[in-house]
Amino acid sequence: MYSKILQFPKDFAWGTATASYQIEGGVKEGGRVPSIWDTFSHTPHKIEDGKTGDVAVDHFHRFPEDIALMKQLGLKHYRLSLAWPRIIVDEKGTIEPRGLAFYDHLIDALLEAGITPYVTLYHWDLPQYLQDIGGWENRKTVDAFLRYAEVAVQHFSDRVENWMTFNEPWVASFCGNLNGAHAPGKKDVPVALQVAHHMLLAHGKVVRIIKDIAPKAKVGIVQNLAWVEPATQKDEDILAAVRWDGAYNRWFTDPVFNGSYPEDMVSYFGNHMPVMQESDVEAMAAPIDFLGVNYYTRRLVAYDSQDQFIEAKQTYRAYVPRAEFEEFEVWPEGLYKVLTSVKEKYGDIPIYISENGTTLKDVVSADGCVHDPSRVAYLHDHFSAVHQAIAEGCDIRGYFVWSLLDNYEWGFGFSKRFGIVYVDYEDDLRRIPKDSAYFLAGVARTNTVKVQSL
């Protein structure tokens, strides 16, 4: 038996992550106005289990309990998102004091518990009043976002140092406007590309606003990056994989780091290219302090003439394990490859693993506990992959497991469980830490991972 202890860097930030719409509930409380996800989840046949996020897991009322759980587990870092519809309630920019007060109480409780907050400004819950004028397709929404961000940063920057502008802009733009699986449910290539451009533009502009308001703040963006490989060595599959990487990875990272869209994809999209102003390119490339990387899977890509976007599709190999969330291969090597490729392409940018986790059909056992050995193994192997990237010179600052709680998983409703804490949807939403929660607690306490093999 081979055994080795992997030591992580001093002050490595171990924590968990959540998103406002997925956990808060209280959609009609505290002056909150509807978001596009309220509208989408109430539209018949849009959500797999037909459920909405109206209550979610009631974090709006139960956040003291959830923070106490984090403290009990010894987790000292927490990534959350603000709900824009709780803070700015109309197109005129009217501030809702009760929304600010809710997050005051939440952030103060985190700090009192010794937990550092990392705040995401946009995790997909666009106010419906902005969607009514075109949403992110309309450049006015960029200005509205800057107004919202300015209010939030001015109010919270005395207690919040770490800011993340957008979560997964490719998911928000393409899943919501290309394939219709997310709010607002559109299916239009030019619209999706325009939405993506306006999100990247808003990101770049808000970086400068945050720095002006809070010069000591650390600001980054969260990108959902996958390792992309061709399904075969056929030329058509190799080119399809290049397009996939171009559309879903480089389209969102090149503007941030290089100040331009990738030339191959600009040529490919042609007349579908978004409308932009000359100054947009410079604005998108505002210097950031770190990159958040959300990693879930490798993408094994084959040519597909039927795909109207990039003529490519994801495929699978039967011998590679897949998560209960079936489109996700369990491929920790891909996380290592993503991290080293970011360093190779863009230099020594500090990185946080801002999301990583897996779904299982978790149940409460006869002993009253939730045993999830597959998730423990998943986290162990992905932690180890990150350690390897660090050993090869990648500047990785922290790791936020997705998610703290089982929650509302967007278009899947409550049918998928990502949490390290079980939420009993049949029994008053009681919380039960899973074995994976105690595993993470042990890793965070010792800042080490033990590797064993035959």
Side-chain angles (χ1 to χ4, degrees):
M1 176 72 73
Y2 168 82
S3 180
K4 184 177 182 180
I5 301 296
L6 304 181
Q7 180 72 52
F8 281 77
K10 184 182 178 182
D11 299 325
F12 194 81
W14 295 100
T16 58
T18 63
S20 52
Y21 187 75
Q22 292 184 267
I23 64 169
E24 284 182 2
V27 297
K28 296 182 180 179
E29 298 187 56
R32 180 188 179 278
V33 297
S35 77
I36 56 174
W37 272 97
D38 296 296
T39 302
F40 191 76
S41 69
H42 280 266
T43 303
H45 313 302
K46 294 295 186 182
I47 308 300
E48 184 175 293
D49 63 2
K51 302 293 180 61
T52 73
D54 288 3
V55 176
V57 295
D58 200 26
H59 182 72
F60 184 77
H61 297 107
R62 302 176 71 148
F63 72 85
E65 174 186 354
D66 296 333
I67 292 172
L69 268 175
M70 283 188 278
K71 184 176 181 180
Q72 173 191 326
L73 293 167
L75 301 177
K76 300 185 182 299
H77 304 269
Y78 175 56
R79 178 182 168 227
L80 67 142
S81 74
L82 306 179
W84 186 349
R86 289 199 188 281
I87 294 173
I88 304 295
V89 295
D90 58 32
E91 192 181 342
K92 295 180 289 187
T94 303
I95 300 170
E96 174 49 73
R98 291 172 292 178
L100 293 174
F102 168 70
Y103 292 113
D104 279 333
H105 297 321
L106 174 59
I107 290 168
D108 288 348
L110 286 167
L111 294 173
E112 186 176 348
I115 300 169
T116 300
Y118 296 69
V119 173
T120 305
L121 287 166
Y122 187 75
H123 203 130
W124 308 352
D125 43 0
L126 181 73
Q128 182 61 42
Y129 62 77
L130 289 171
Q131 188 61 44
D132 291 342
I133 63 166
W136 285 106
E137 187 182 355
N138 187 337
R139 198 175 174 101
K140 288 183 178 179
T141 298
V142 174
D143 296 329
F145 177 75
L146 301 185
R147 160 69 172 159
Y148 150 64
E150 183 178 24
V151 169
V153 175
Q154 283 180 336
H155 191 84
F156 299 116
S157 61
D158 61 330
R159 289 154 290 167
V160 175
E161 180 179 347
N162 301 285
W163 294 91
M164 300 175 181
T165 58
F166 281 79
N167 181 75
E168 300 182 351
W170 91 247
V171 177
S173 55
F174 292 172
C175 289
N177 298 274
L178 178 65
N179 60 34
H182 282 194
K186 293 187 175 184
K187 298 181 179 181
D188 189 298
V189 172
V191 168
L193 293 172
Q194 189 68 60
V195 166
H197 176 70
H198 283 157
M199 287 182 177
L200 290 169
L201 176 63
H203 152 75
K205 288 191 169 188
V206 86
V207 168
R208 292 182 167 90
I209 288 175
I210 295 172
K211 289 292 190 178
D212 286 344
I213 296 171
K216 295 182 180 180
K218 303 297 184 184
V219 188
I221 186 171
V222 173
Q223 303 279 16
N224 186 18
L225 302 180
W227 180 250
V228 181
E229 295 181 12
T232 74
Q233 289 305 302
K234 295 178 182 178
D235 287 346
E236 62 182 13
D237 288 346
I238 293 172
L239 291 174
V242 171
R243 289 194 298 275
W244 190 290
D245 178 63
Y248 293 101
N249 287 337
R250 291 181 287 118
W251 193 257
F252 294 89
T253 51
D254 276 13
V256 172
F257 293 110
N258 295 342
S260 62
Y261 286 111
E263 291 183 5
D264 59 330
M265 299 311 298
V266 170
S267 177
Y268 184 83
F269 288 138
N271 292 334
H272 291 332
M273 280 292 293
V275 176
M276 63 182 76
Q277 297 176 8
E278 187 175 342
S279 60
D280 289 359
V281 171
E282 180 182 358
M284 291 188 294
I288 57 176
D289 299 299
F290 64 86
L291 173 67
V293 171
N294 292 357
Y295 175 83
Y296 290 99
T297 191
R298 172 181 70 164
R299 303 289 186 181
L300 194 64
V301 176
Y303 172 69
D304 180 9
S305 63
Q306 302 303 307
D307 178 66
Q308 296 183 3
F309 183 44
I310 54 170
E311 298 178 291
K313 65 181 178 181
Q314 184 174 1
T315 63
Y316 304 93
R317 293 193 175 120
Y319 58 82
V320 177
R322 284 155 69 181
E324 188 259 336
F325 201 117
E326 292 185 357
E327 72 175 85
F328 289 170
E329 289 184 330
V330 180
W331 193 261
E333 177 77 1
L335 176 52
Y336 158 77
K337 287 180 177 291
V338 162
L339 295 173
T340 53
S341 69
V342 167
K343 176 180 171 64
E344 180 182 343
K345 291 177 183 176
Y346 304 119
D348 292 318
I349 180 76
I351 293 174
Y352 288 92
I353 310 305
S354 38
E355 287 183 26
N356 174 246
T358 192
T359 58
L360 296 171
K361 293 187 180 297
D362 300 306
V363 296
V364 181
S365 299
D367 60 4
C369 300
V370 179
H371 304 296
D372 55 344
S374 294
R375 184 178 286 106
V376 170
Y378 176 100
L379 292 176
H380 173 278
D381 292 348
H382 284 77
F383 293 168
S384 301
V386 168
H387 187 275
Q388 182 63 39
I390 293 171
E392 295 183 22
C394 294
D395 185 3
I396 317 296
R397 302 289 179 89
Y399 203 123
F400 295 85
V401 172
W402 186 268
S403 174
L404 173 64
L405 302 160
D406 290 334
N407 56 41
Y408 189 78
E409 187 48 43
W410 307 111
F412 294 96
F414 295 103
S415 67
K416 306 294 182 186
R417 292 183 179 270
F418 269 102
I420 60 169
V421 174
Y422 182 89
V423 177
D424 192 335
Y425 300 127
E426 306 302 323
D427 186 7
D428 194 32
L429 300 176
R430 65 180 174 135
R431 276 74 158 142
I432 306 172
K434 305 174 188 179
D435 288 354
S436 56
Y438 297 113
F439 170 70
L440 175 61
V443 169
R445 183 180 65 255
T446 63
N447 202 30
T448 63
V449 172
K450 186 176 182 179
V451 176
Q452 288 184 323
S453 62
L454 294 176

mmCIF file of all heavy atoms in Angstrom, residues 66 68 75 105 123 192 203 236 262 369 371 430:
data_model
loop_
_atom_site.group_PDB
_atom_site.id
_atom_site.type_symbol
_atom_site.label_atom_id
_atom_site.label_comp_id
_atom_site.label_asym_id
_atom_site.label_seq_id
_atom_site.Cartn_x
_atom_site.Cartn_y
_atom_site.Cartn_z
ATOM 1 N N ASP A 66 -27.774 27.737 8.841
ATOM 2 C CA ASP A 66 -26.813 27.306 7.821
ATOM 3 C C ASP A 66 -25.404 27.805 8.135
ATOM 4 O O ASP A 66 -24.410 27.096 7.914
ATOM 5 C CB ASP A 66 -27.264 27.777 6.441
ATOM 6 C CG ASP A 66 -28.587 27.141 6.027
ATOM 7 O OD1 ASP A 66 -28.872 26.028 6.499
ATOM 8 O OD2 ASP A 66 -29.326 27.764 5.247
ATOM 9 N N ALA A 68 -24.344 28.403 11.168
ATOM 10 C CA ALA A 68 -23.918 27.594 12.318
ATOM 11 C C ALA A 68 -23.374 26.245 11.859
ATOM 12 O O ALA A 68 -22.404 25.725 12.439
ATOM 13 C CB ALA A 68 -25.082 27.398 13.279
ATOM 14 N N LEU A 75 -15.543 25.426 8.486
ATOM 15 C CA LEU A 75 -15.308 26.040 7.176
ATOM 16 C C LEU A 75 -15.238 27.552 7.342
ATOM 17 O O LEU A 75 -16.164 28.171 7.877
ATOM 18 C CB LEU A 75 -16.428 25.649 6.211
ATOM 19 C CG LEU A 75 -16.590 24.139 5.987
ATOM 20 C CD1 LEU A 75 -17.772 23.862 5.071
ATOM 21 C CD2 LEU A 75 -15.313 23.533 5.420
ATOM 22 N N HIS A 105 -27.441 41.438 7.551
ATOM 23 C CA HIS A 105 -27.553 40.438 8.615
ATOM 24 C C HIS A 105 -26.764 39.179 8.249
ATOM 25 O O HIS A 105 -26.079 38.596 9.101
ATOM 26 C CB HIS A 105 -29.022 40.090 8.862
ATOM 27 C CG HIS A 105 -29.857 41.236 9.336
ATOM 28 N ND1 HIS A 105 -29.389 42.176 10.237
ATOM 29 C CD2 HIS A 105 -31.142 41.592 9.052
ATOM 30 C CE1 HIS A 105 -30.345 43.071 10.484
ATOM 31 N NE2 HIS A 105 -31.415 42.743 9.771
ATOM 32 N N HIS A 123 -25.551 35.874 -10.355
ATOM 33 C CA HIS A 123 -25.677 34.424 -10.516
ATOM 34 C C HIS A 123 -27.058 34.125 -11.111
ATOM 35 O O HIS A 123 -27.852 33.384 -10.533
ATOM 36 C CB HIS A 123 -25.469 33.703 -9.179
ATOM 37 C CG HIS A 123 -25.051 32.276 -9.327
ATOM 38 N ND1 HIS A 123 -23.969 31.731 -8.652
ATOM 39 C CD2 HIS A 123 -25.551 31.265 -10.079
ATOM 40 C CE1 HIS A 123 -23.846 30.453 -8.973
ATOM 41 N NE2 HIS A 123 -24.797 30.147 -9.830
ATOM 42 N N ALA A 192 -27.932 34.968 -28.351
ATOM 43 C CA ALA A 192 -27.038 34.381 -27.353
ATOM 44 C C ALA A 192 -25.667 35.047 -27.379
ATOM 45 O O ALA A 192 -25.084 35.346 -26.319
ATOM 46 C CB ALA A 192 -26.913 32.885 -27.585
ATOM 47 N N HIS A 203 -19.021 43.010 -17.083
ATOM 48 C CA HIS A 203 -17.958 42.553 -16.181
ATOM 49 C C HIS A 203 -16.795 43.534 -16.183
ATOM 50 O O HIS A 203 -16.344 44.001 -15.121
ATOM 51 C CB HIS A 203 -17.456 41.167 -16.601
ATOM 52 C CG HIS A 203 -16.024 40.931 -16.226
ATOM 53 N ND1 HIS A 203 -15.629 40.671 -14.931
ATOM 54 C CD2 HIS A 203 -14.885 40.964 -16.983
ATOM 55 C CE1 HIS A 203 -14.306 40.555 -14.903
ATOM 56 N NE2 HIS A 203 -13.837 40.720 -16.124
ATOM 57 N N GLU A 236 -12.531 15.843 -38.785
ATOM 58 C CA GLU A 236 -13.793 16.530 -38.500
ATOM 59 C C GLU A 236 -14.055 16.608 -36.994
ATOM 60 O O GLU A 236 -14.626 17.590 -36.502
ATOM 61 C CB GLU A 236 -14.950 15.845 -39.215
ATOM 62 C CG GLU A 236 -15.206 14.413 -38.796
ATOM 63 C CD GLU A 236 -16.341 13.767 -39.580
ATOM 64 O OE1 GLU A 236 -16.767 14.335 -40.614
ATOM 65 O OE2 GLU A 236 -16.808 12.700 -39.143
ATOM 66 N N PRO A 262 -11.584 35.245 -29.854
ATOM 67 C CA PRO A 262 -10.700 34.373 -30.637
ATOM 68 C C PRO A 262 -10.979 34.495 -32.131
ATOM 69 O O PRO A 262 -12.126 34.405 -32.573
ATOM 70 C CB PRO A 262 -11.015 32.969 -30.107
ATOM 71 C CG PRO A 262 -12.307 33.084 -29.377
ATOM 72 C CD PRO A 262 -12.414 34.489 -28.897
ATOM 73 N N CYS A 369 -27.928 9.033 9.289
ATOM 74 C CA CYS A 369 -26.866 9.758 8.589
ATOM 75 C C CYS A 369 -27.035 9.637 7.077
ATOM 76 O O CYS A 369 -27.827 8.833 6.588
ATOM 77 C CB CYS A 369 -25.501 9.207 9.004
ATOM 78 S SG CYS A 369 -25.150 9.334 10.770
ATOM 79 N N HIS A 371 -24.744 8.779 3.953
ATOM 80 C CA HIS A 371 -23.447 8.256 3.549
ATOM 81 C C HIS A 371 -23.300 8.412 2.034
ATOM 82 O O HIS A 371 -24.088 7.875 1.269
ATOM 83 C CB HIS A 371 -23.311 6.793 3.963
ATOM 84 C CG HIS A 371 -23.516 6.571 5.432
ATOM 85 N ND1 HIS A 371 -22.670 7.100 6.384
ATOM 86 C CD2 HIS A 371 -24.492 5.903 6.120
ATOM 87 C CE1 HIS A 371 -23.092 6.757 7.590
ATOM 88 N NE2 HIS A 371 -24.191 6.036 7.457
ATOM 89 N N ARG A 430 -35.204 19.954 7.017
ATOM 90 C CA ARG A 430 -34.135 19.758 7.991
ATOM 91 C C ARG A 430 -32.814 19.495 7.279
ATOM 92 O O ARG A 430 -32.767 18.917 6.199
ATOM 93 C CB ARG A 430 -34.467 18.622 8.954
ATOM 94 C CG ARG A 430 -34.554 17.260 8.296
ATOM 95 C CD ARG A 430 -34.896 16.180 9.314
ATOM 96 N NE ARG A 430 -35.116 14.903 8.651
ATOM 97 C CZ ARG A 430 -34.617 13.753 9.081
ATOM 98 N NH1 ARG A 430 -33.869 13.707 10.164
ATOM 99 N NH2 ARG A 430 -34.864 12.633 8.415
#
